[in-house]
Amino acid sequence: MAQSHPPPARRVRIIGDKPHFTGPGPQVIAAESLQGEKVVNPRGDRLGEIEAIMIDVPSGRIAYAVLSHGGIMGIGDKLFAIPWEAFILDAERRCLVLDIEEDRLRRAPGFDKAHWPSMADPTWTAEIHDYYRAAAKGD
């Protein structure tokens, strides 16, 4: 019986990068440098900032970026685990772009800092990926 494999991971698009070889560049960056990075929609409206980068340990790839949205100075923020492939890295503006309207983001499945979901739960994973795939299609 043939072993089934998950579909190949989609890559995050990188825009605005000019190829150079003087540093790690936008293709390879330290995960810690993304913490606190601003996230905007394509119009440039600020959606929040990256709270954490979650690694899928078995594959060694980024699974989710946790977006902090709302609140004031970190108080009352709602957190959202967003599949990494939903982002575009804008190297020139030094930010991540997420193609979602702010009202749809507010309705997205989220959590607070004291109650993180079980990100390894396949039902939760499917729900999150379906939500952001639908958002990318404009549903």
Side-chain angles (χ1 to χ4, degrees):
M1 175 179 225
Q3 183 180 10
S4 65
H5 296 283
R10 294 187 320 162
R11 296 178 181 257
V12 169
R13 287 185 27 223
I14 301 173
I15 59 174
D17 65 321
K18 296 183 177 43
H20 60 80
F21 299 98
T22 59
Q27 283 81 15
V28 177
I29 57 177
E32 68 185 20
S33 71
L34 293 171
Q35 192 167 353
E37 196 68 38
K38 73 179 175 180
V39 177
V40 300
N41 66 17
R43 290 192 315 269
D45 302 327
R46 189 178 180 106
L47 297 174
E49 65 182 41
I50 299 300
E51 177 81 13
I53 298 295
M54 306 306 292
I55 305 295
D56 174 53
V57 175
S59 73
R61 298 186 182 275
I62 297 174
Y64 302 98
V66 177
L67 174 69
S68 174
H69 173 78
I72 298 171
M73 295 174 51
I75 300 170
D77 290 358
K78 185 173 179 184
L79 301 178
F80 302 92
I82 300 176
W84 183 240
E85 64 269 8
F87 290 99
I88 298 168
L89 175 64
D90 187 330
E92 285 182 10
R93 292 191 293 172
R94 300 186 55 89
C95 65
L96 291 167
V97 179
L98 180 62
D99 193 1
I100 192 170
E101 294 296 323
E102 189 171 1
D103 62 329
R104 181 156 172 85
L105 178 61
R106 280 193 210 113
R107 293 189 313 267
F111 54 99
D112 65 48
K113 291 180 182 186
H115 301 95
W116 284 56
S118 174
M119 293 182 176
D121 175 7
T123 302
W124 179 87
T125 299
E127 177 184 313
I128 294 302
H129 281 266
D130 287 347
Y131 191 87
Y132 288 100
R133 238 187 320 267
K137 295 177 186 174
D139 296 343

